Structure formats: C-alpha cells, structure tokens
Amino acid sequence: MNIEALISKAAGEAVKALYGMDANEKMLQLQKTRSEFEGNLTLVVFPFVKAAKKSPEQTAQEIGEYLQQNCSAVEKFNVVKGFLNLSVGDGAWTELLSAIDKDDNFGMKKATEDSPLVMIEYSSPNTNKPLHLGHVRNNLLGWSLAQIMEANGNKVVKTNIVNDRGIHICKSMLAWLKWGNGETPETSGKKGDHLIGDYYVAFDKHYRDEIKELVAQGMDEEKAKQEAPLIKEAHEMLVKWEQNDPEVRALWEKMNSWVYAGFDETYKKMGVSFDKIYYESQTYLKGKAKVEEGLAKGLFERHEDNSVWADLTNEGLDQKLLLRSDGTSVYMTQDIGTAEMRFQDFPIDKMIYVVGNEQNYHFQVLSILLDRLGFKWGKELTHFSYGMVELPNGKMKSREGTVVDADDLMQLMVEDAYKTSMELGKFDDMTEEERREIARIVGMGALKYFILKVDARKNMLFNPEESIDFNGNTGPFIQYTYARIRSILRKAGNDIQSSTFNIQLNEKEVELIQKMNEFGAAVEQAGKDYSPSGIANYCYELTKVFNQFYHDYSILNEPDEQKKLFRLVLAKNVAKIIKNAMSLLGIEVPERM
C-alpha cells in the first residue's frame, strides 16, 4: 500500500474513532503540501468539523495526534487553520522507494480477462494523397491514447479506416490515365502515396484551368464547376467503379497498392501500427444495408426523391441525410457500416474515434444513430476531438500541394537532431551508425513530444526549430536526462539493488520519491481525461525535479556508501519511470546521448 493510501486509511479510522463518523474516500483525499508550509501531504479537515463539534483547528489537531500515534508513516504534523499538514518519516519514503524498485511496471495496470475492451480508431487516411502534418497529430494522439488505456488495465484494439473510394480517388486515377504515361513508384523513384498525391494536385490544376476557360466563355462559376469535362469524367469513373467495371477496378487496386506500400513505410517511421484495418470500399455496402434495415423498422424515413433521412429534431438537431436519391451512401452511412463490421469482429465495450474537431457534429449524430440501431456502445461512444495543427506560415491545402508532408517533416526532424547534436559535441565519441540511430530517436522524440505536450483540444502551432532544444519542456531535454542517468549507472557498475536504508533524507530526495510516486495517479488521470499531454507534463516535472536534485547533490562522489547506493537506486528508478512514461507517448529514449 502506498503512503497516501496508508495515511488516508488511517485518517478514516481516526475520524471513526474520534467522532463516530464514516468518512468516504472523497473526504479523505490528500493533497501535496504547498511549498510555503512544512510537510509532505495535507488533509483538509472541514468535512469532519460538523461531526467533531469543534473548530477546524481543534479538529485538525486531534486527527494529527491520532495519526502520529497510530500511523507509522506520519512522523510529525502542523495545523494551519483547517489544513492538517503531515510530515512523512524517512523510513516510509525509503520503503516506498524499495516498493517502486521491485515493480518494473510501477504505476501501470495490466489487463485481465474481465477487463473492458476499448477500440480506438485513428489515422483514417485517403488513398489519393500521402499523410501530412495533420495526420501526424492524429496518429500520435491515437497511438499514445492506446498505450495509456492499456496502462489503465484495459484491453485495447487499435484500428484504422482507410477512405479508399469516392470522387477524390477517381480524380487521382483519371489524372494518372491522362498524364501518367504508365509511371510507377519504381520508374519515378517516388513513394507510391507521393506519386498518387502528385496526380491529385495535377487533376486540380487542370480542373481549375477548365473552370476559368468556361467562365471566360460566359458561364457562371458554380455551373462551370459542374460542367467542366474533367469533373464529369471523374463522376463517370465513380459510377463505373460502383458498377464493378473490371478495368476501373483493376486500375483502382493497382494504384491503391502503391499507396498502401507508401503508408506502411510512413507508419513504420512514425512508430505506429494497427491491430485491424478496415476499408471504406468494404464497409459502405454494409452501411447501406443497415440503413435499409432501420428504414424497415421505421427508424428512418424515405423522401419523395427516394433519399433516406434520419429525423433528429427530437434530440435538438436537424434532419440527417443517410442515402442520396440515387442510392449512393454518405460518410455517415459508411461509419454505420464500419461500426457494424467492428461489432461483429470484436466484443467492444468502449469505442473511441480520434478525429479532428471539425467533425464534432458528425459524431454527435453518429452516436444517436448507432444507439437507435441497437449498438450497446452507441450512446457512450467517445469522439476524441482534437484541434488543427498550423505552421508559422499558415494553413495547409492538399489540393494546391501546399501540405507539409509527414515523410518530409520526419526526415527534417532527424536531420535537425543530427546537426544540433554535432554542434553541441554530443556525438564526439560515437560511430556514424550510432550517431544516425540517436539522431532518429531524438528527432522523432522531439516531434512527438512537441505535438503531444499540447492539450489535444487546442489548435497548435508546430515550430520544428523550437522542438529540438536540449533545455526546457522538450523531448530532447527528457531524453538527455534519461541518457545521463544511464551513464551514471554504467559508471557505478549497473547492478544496483535496493536494500533497507537507514539514512536521513534531504528535502530534494523526498521530493523526488514523492514525484515518482505520482506516476500512477498521472496515468490514471490521463486515462480518465484521454490526455497524452498529462503524461508529457508529468515526464517534464519528474525530469526537472531530478535535475534540481542532481545539481545540488553528488551521486558517484558521495563518500557515505549507504547514501551513495540510495541515490543510485533513486536515479535508476527515475530512469525507469521516464522510460515507461515516454513509451506511453510512443517516444524512445537513448541509452547514451
């Protein structure tokens, strides 16, 4: 039992013994004592004053005396108004450190057979273009959330829905047929997703030229957008695709296979993966069938033009289109079909969709529709809504080819990490192979940490230069601290085991153990809030506390052998927690830097 739990339990016994009161868990919550007061943990006694029939000060005094006599962890106490500040004895702190040392997964829970199954959907790329900076934020959030939910004792399935059909895909296909001259990833030397993205941009350029020409001939712009020959051809191709035209389908499969190979390379570099991938081309018909089923049950209504709608006015929303008058599906229909397939594949208890905040309304509607259709998790689905990522020079547009490509960004980060490390002399005694590997770990760590430390709900500005800094709230600062500790441990001989320490602790050592002990609470809170930024901030706080301790006290040059061993155990466990916490963000830590 950790110190907080031990004192909290004893405080409950104190209140019962002194005042005959059964206090609930919420009343017995301890807070970290504010820095201006003496003590480590504070109990607020106002909830017990009525039962005690005494002033807050007297009540705190009585509970403090009881704890000092009956709880081994409490060494002394002081009272400030209705706040009981408790000082924990050195023995309790060293015992806690030993307990942390014995548990490789301290602060994290393991799933059991009875654990709920949480499915997390993230990435959701389109097969007409490569992954960009917005996808980077999505993938990093999704992957980190999956690790955090697992660390909270859930079973987790990571899933992706690939948007592999529709007019956008046909635009790239048509452009390749017209201007591609049989170009392939092999002949062009380009990744498949980049190659197809180029044709998507090419389609848009030619399409806009056609619109301009029609407008110049006297047609209004809206009509020109519909009448341009290219867009008409793209729509014809989509109809052929829906009718299973063998030539269109063969081209579609070939070009998609190029894109998937490209995506796989990007995901691997990014360090993310999926347990199951679904494809819109397989789910949209399921969605149509499910909507027809709902229509037959009177859940939806068919309008005169043959379109199918859901009336959500009772829920304070509007009417939602589910099938167009020509019978084709919309995104909502596809999401219903994907839900149906997933529900058949897995016994889902909780469904989390990692999708940008521009889709808030979509998921509000999807939740209601899935609930109507009888999915047990429909009403409880979670839309993990996140803000946009912008660059110092503005927004991105994929049609115009002004997107920040994920592959280019990752390459830039790794190159910057290499250059910065060389300039700072951190690579002096390493082989070139080691330098490249550490630059990869540091560059990717800088990118991931910079994105994940920001509250996901907020829009953010991504500045690559700011992210690679070996000082401040950055990934490299935390990675460098980990590498520094590993270097200390190697010099000490590495086989460092905890023992029964009978030493007097200084303030910084206590603060460090207390901060390490907060890891479990940080993991739990991050799981409740769906908040990778909570873990990032914890990593930074722990790293800062360690660096303050290391600045003030020597480890390897400490003359007292007991104290030296204690500090080595302390450092070893700080490194362990940093490594485990950073892994929840999908960030690796290097053994040397």
Side-chain angles (χ1 to χ4, degrees), residues 8-46:
S8 185
K9 185 171 178 282
E13 288 162 4
V15 171
K16 178 75 174 167
L18 295 168
Y19 315 123
M21 179 185 178
D22 291 311
N24 63 39
E25 205 177 299
K26 209 172 176 184
M27 292 175 171
L28 297 164
Q29 277 178 358
L30 295 160
Q31 302 163 0
K32 198 172 177 179
T33 304
R34 281 163 54 179
S35 56
E36 62 265 35
F37 300 116
E38 189 189 348
N40 307 112
L41 295 164
T42 297
L43 180 71
V44 180
V45 303
F46 295 111

Side-chain angles (χ1 to χ4, degrees), residues 455-473:
D455 179 346
R457 289 163 298 198
K458 293 178 179 170
N459 287 353
M460 69 172 289
L461 192 70
F462 180 73
N463 189 332
E465 286 148 34
E466 267 180 44
S467 65
I468 296 185
D469 189 338
F470 287 84
N471 298 299
N473 189 4

Side-chain angles (χ1 to χ4, degrees), residues 198-487:
D198 289 347
Y199 284 104
Y200 182 61
V201 173
F203 176 95
D204 194 62
K205 182 180 174 297
H206 285 87
Y207 174 45
R208 280 189 290 168
D209 288 346
E210 287 186 351
I211 293 167
K212 267 185 203 163
E213 204 174 304
L214 290 171
V215 170
Q217 290 167 15
M219 195 181 283
D220 80 81
E221 195 175 338
E222 281 312 303
K223 194 168 185 207
K225 283 178 182 174
Q226 292 163 14
E227 293 298 321
L230 265 178
I231 201 73
K232 283 186 162 180
E233 274 189 82
H235 277 292
E236 280 164 24
M237 186 180 264
L238 180 58
V239 171
K240 283 183 179 176
W241 184 92
E242 296 246 351
Q243 291 167 348
N244 273 321
D245 179 284
E247 273 184 45
V248 171
R249 285 283 177 144
L251 175 63
W252 172 74
E253 282 177 12
K254 177 169 74 175
M255 290 176 71
N256 272 353
S257 72
W258 298 343
V259 174
Y260 297 144
F263 283 171
D264 287 346
E265 220 179 291
T266 307
Y267 287 139
K268 194 176 174 189
K269 273 188 209 158
M270 213 182 285
V272 305
S273 61
F274 309 93
D275 301 309
K276 177 89 179 178
I277 297 181
Y278 292 88
Y279 299 90
E280 207 182 280
S281 56
Q282 295 163 0
T283 69
Y284 83 107
L285 289 173
K286 286 254 184 197
K288 284 168 82 167
K290 202 74 188 159
V291 169
E292 294 287 356
E293 188 188 302
L295 190 64
K297 289 179 181 170
L299 301 173
F300 309 130
E301 53 194 45
R302 195 184 290 283
H303 286 192
E304 278 177 22
D305 65 353
N306 207 36
S307 58
V308 177
W309 296 74
D311 184 357
L312 306 173
T313 48
N314 283 349
E315 274 88 0
L317 302 171
D318 55 9
Q319 298 213 345
K320 185 70 189 171
L321 176 69
L322 299 179
L323 288 175
R324 295 188 188 95
S325 53
D326 61 3
T328 55
S329 61
V330 293
Y331 272 120
M332 191 63 71
T333 328
Q334 287 142 209
D335 273 347
I336 290 169
T338 310
E340 167 85 342
M341 284 182 82
R342 287 172 175 161
F343 199 65
Q344 286 166 355
D345 292 344
F346 298 96
I348 302 167
D349 295 299
K350 179 103 190 141
M351 182 74 216
I352 302 173
Y353 294 87
V354 180
V355 182
N357 57 16
E358 76 279 9
Q359 295 291 333
N360 286 355
Y361 177 74
H362 175 89
F363 284 98
Q364 201 182 346
V365 172
L366 181 64
S367 175
I368 294 165
L369 295 180
L370 291 178
D371 184 53
R372 274 193 197 178
L373 289 164
F375 293 92
K376 67 169 184 174
W377 46 266
K379 210 161 200 163
E380 302 300 316
L381 77 78
T382 297
H383 172 207
F384 179 49
S385 168
Y386 63 90
M388 296 297 100
V389 190
E390 289 175 12
L391 293 154
N393 57 0
K395 289 186 176 177
M396 307 179 290
K397 291 192 177 76
S398 48
R399 283 192 306 276
E400 292 162 23
T402 59
V403 160
V404 176
D405 179 80
D407 294 308
D408 293 345
L409 176 64
M410 290 191 285
Q411 192 180 337
L412 170 77
M413 296 298 292
V414 173
E415 284 169 4
D416 281 0
Y418 185 92
K419 194 169 135 228
T420 306
S421 300
M422 284 296 272
E423 283 166 4
L424 294 171
K426 294 187 184 295
F427 281 170
D428 290 354
D429 58 344
M430 294 183 195
T431 65
E432 185 58 20
E433 193 182 348
E434 274 183 301
R435 289 171 182 169
R436 293 285 166 202
E437 177 59 4
I438 289 169
R440 181 193 67 77
I441 292 172
V442 173
M444 289 306 297
L447 170 65
K448 292 178 179 185
Y449 189 85
F450 196 90
I451 284 176
L452 292 172
K453 74 177 180 180
V454 178
D455 179 346
R457 289 163 298 198
K458 293 178 179 170
N459 287 353
M460 69 172 289
L461 192 70
F462 180 73
N463 189 332
E465 286 148 34
E466 267 180 44
S467 65
I468 296 185
D469 189 338
F470 287 84
N471 298 299
N473 189 4
T474 65
F477 170 66
I478 296 164
Q479 288 172 319
Y480 183 64
T481 300
Y482 174 83
R484 172 188 265 172
I485 296 171
R486 296 301 298 159
S487 169

Side-chain angles (χ1 to χ4, degrees), residues 155 170 242 310 383 411 420 477 565 572 583 589:
K155 288 184 277 195
C170 291
E242 296 246 351
H383 172 207
Q411 192 180 337
T420 306
F477 170 66
L565 178 60
K572 173 184 138 186
S583 78
V589 282

Side-chain angles (χ1 to χ4, degrees), residues 64 81 111 134 148 181 189 230 269 285 371 400 444 446 486 489 507 513 549 578:
K81 296 182 179 168
I148 289 165
N181 298 317
L230 265 178
K269 273 188 209 158
L285 289 173
D371 184 53
E400 292 162 23
M444 289 306 297
R486 296 301 298 159
L489 297 175
E507 192 186 325
I513 298 171
F549 157 75
I578 287 175

